[in-house]
């Protein structure tokens, strides 16, 4: 009894999701492989699937010759004309063979070929299906643990949720449902490998896209996401319609939309921030709920210096630096936060340093004019300046300035000059007095 293979092929196509052409090719390869095994590769064989009868036809091809030298691949002209009267020497004649009476080993070989082909086709189909779904959320059922990693059943395929992609506070048991983000799809020797994630920032984006129709329609766009999984996340949104508030659309009526996202993330706090092209204003929004006094922007280094009131410093930094860390990730700029008092102290310190630097620059010039090289050499000798013997006057001045000698020398000069002026003024008076006494 010949079985119609069309029904079986259709059933396999439906269950396995394999294309019909792939199955037909697998059947033809299986029959051909079994026939070659039976005849030990001594004949020129071809297998073709008959769609009408639903069976695989096997053909043997021989060459028509006048004198047969190889009985397996050649046929006599007279014998060939009994089959086809129009053949001529050199023609190739195909004869249908019985594909049903193969040995048990040949049949087993055909079965293995079919299974292998179907398995390869199924793997290819799964890979091509999921490689286009990277960035999507999928639902699955936890099947088992393997060294901390979760094996998740997605229906047609199994996916891997690595330990590094799991949120620390989340625990799953066998049979639990899990919603995860497809981060990677790779083809390996064992088949397609689908990598899931619960920590990827795309999880937050995909959840908001599911919950907020304005995002899926393109009216509201998510510009940036910063996240510390299981703790807190910040999301920047912008509206392409002036009549639609991007933050309000994401929050929803009485916070219903954002609450659904928070519930899926198991209590992770979410800050929704309006995206602004001006980096300074955007950074101020990203650091909310802290208030910002002023912002200094360094475009070359892509860094921001943010000044906040003293009572807002801890709020701007956040617990263990979380708020400023998330703001830096969201903006893509390095952020340095300072209190107003600290900034004022630094500004005052810079002014004093500038004044001291100006004085230090002026002192050597004045001293170089006031002293000879021998005087400077004696000072260098007194303070044990190394290499003083070979130094020029300018080098001695510079070396003494680095030792801090010049400031003290100048102070001594001022003190020494004051009494000298008094003595010079007093001497004439003494002479006049003495003169008066002599005259008397």
């Amino acid at each position: 009894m010949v079985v119609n293979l069309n029904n079986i092929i259709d059933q396999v196509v439906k269950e396995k999701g394999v294309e019909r052409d792939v199955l037909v090719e697998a059947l033809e390869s299986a029959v051909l492989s079994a026939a070659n095994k039976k005849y030990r590769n001594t004949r020129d064989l071809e297998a073709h699937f008959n769609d009408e009868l639903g069976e695989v036809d096997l053909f043997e091809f021989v060459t028509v010759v006048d004198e047969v030298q190889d009985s397996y691949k050649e046929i006599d002209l007279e014998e060939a004309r009994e089959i086809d009267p129009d053949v001529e020497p050199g023609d190739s004649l195909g004869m249908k063979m019985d594909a049903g009476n193969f040995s048990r080993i040949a049949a087993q070989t055909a079965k293995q070929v079919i299974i292998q082909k179907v398995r390869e086709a199924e793997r290819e189909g799964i890979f091509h299906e999921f490689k286009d779904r990277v960035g999507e959320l999928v639902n699955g059922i936890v099947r088992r643990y393997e060294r901390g990693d979760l094996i998740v059943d997605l229906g047609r395929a199994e996916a891997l949720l690595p330990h590094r992609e799991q949120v620390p506070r989340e625990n799953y048991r066998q049979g639990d449902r899990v919603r995860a983000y497809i981060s990677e799809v790779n083809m390996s020797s064992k088949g397609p490998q689908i990598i899931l994630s619960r920590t990827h920032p795309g999880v937050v984006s995909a959840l908001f896209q599911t919950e907020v129709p304005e995002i899926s329609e393109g009216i509201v766009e998510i510009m940036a996401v910063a996240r510390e999984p299981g703790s807190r996340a910040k999301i920047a949104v912008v509206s392409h319609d002036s009549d639609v508030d991007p933050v309000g659309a994401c929050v929803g009526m009485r916070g219903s939309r954002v609450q659904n996202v928070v519930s899926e993330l198991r209590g992770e706090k979410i800050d929704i921030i309006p995206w602004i092209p001006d980096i300074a204003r955007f950074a101020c929004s990203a650091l909310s709920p802290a208030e910002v006094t002023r912002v200094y922007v360094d475009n070359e280094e892509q860094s921001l210096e943010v000044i906040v009131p003293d009572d807002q410093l801890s709020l701007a930094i956040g617990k263990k630096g979380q708020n400023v860390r998330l703001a830096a990730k969201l903006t893509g700029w390095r952020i340095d936060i300072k209190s107003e008092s600290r900034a004022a102290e630094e500004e005052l310190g810079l002014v004093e340093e500038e004044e001291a630097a100006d004085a230090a620059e002026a002192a050597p010039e004045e001293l170089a004019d006031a002293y000879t090289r021998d005087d400077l050499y004696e000072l260098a000798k007194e303070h044990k300046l190394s290499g003083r013997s070979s130094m020029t006057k300018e080098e001695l001045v510079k070396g003494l300035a680095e030792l801090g000698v010049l400031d003290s020398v100048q102070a001594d000069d001022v003190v020494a000059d004051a009494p000298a002026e008094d003595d010079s003024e007093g001497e004439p008076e003494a002479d006049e007095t003495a003169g008066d006494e002599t005259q008397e």
Side-chain angles (χ1 to χ4, degrees), residues 393-404:
K393 182 180 179 180
E394 289 75 11
E395 290 173 344
L396 285 170
V397 171
K398 185 177 179 182
L400 290 170
E402 291 176 354
L403 292 176

Side-chain angles (χ1 to χ4, degrees), residues 242-264:
S242 58
D243 296 331
V244 177
D245 176 22
V247 177
C250 293
V251 172
M253 185 70 68
R254 298 181 181 177
S256 59
R257 292 175 176 176
V258 71
Q259 282 302 322
N260 291 336
V261 177
V262 170
S263 300
E264 179 60 38

Side-chain angles (χ1 to χ4, degrees), residues 211-231:
E211 294 292 336
V212 182
E214 289 85 351
I215 294 178
S216 58
E217 292 172 4
I219 300 173
V220 176
E221 183 180 355
I222 299 174
M223 301 299 293
V225 178
R227 185 185 180 202
E228 291 194 355
S231 179

Side-chain angles (χ1 to χ4, degrees), residues 13 32 76 92 131 174 177 204 228 250 271 304 318 320 328 337 344 394 397-398:
V13 168
L32 185 60
D76 183 70
S92 180
K131 77 171 184 179
Q174 187 175 359
R177 286 193 166 272
V204 179
E228 291 194 355
C250 293
D271 296 338
L304 302 170
K320 297 181 180 179
I337 296 182
E394 289 75 11
V397 171
K398 185 177 179 182

Side-chain angles (χ1 to χ4, degrees), residues 43 59-65 68 71-88 91-97:
R43 304 188 182 189
F59 294 91
E60 178 186 7
F61 286 87
V62 290
T63 304
V64 179
V65 295
V68 177
S71 60
Y72 291 116
K73 296 183 179 180
E74 296 175 345
I75 188 173
D76 183 70
L77 179 60
E78 295 181 1
E79 186 179 352
R81 284 182 174 172
E82 293 179 1
I83 301 172
D84 186 357
D86 297 330
V87 295
E88 297 294 335
D91 291 347
S92 180
L93 182 63
M95 298 179 292
K96 187 176 179 181
M97 301 180 67

Side-chain angles (χ1 to χ4, degrees), residues 137 180-181 197-208 227 265:
L137 285 178
Y181 177 88
S197 176
R198 287 278 298 176
T199 61
H200 197 284
V203 176
V204 179
S205 301
L207 287 172
F208 271 103
R227 185 185 180 202
L265 297 176

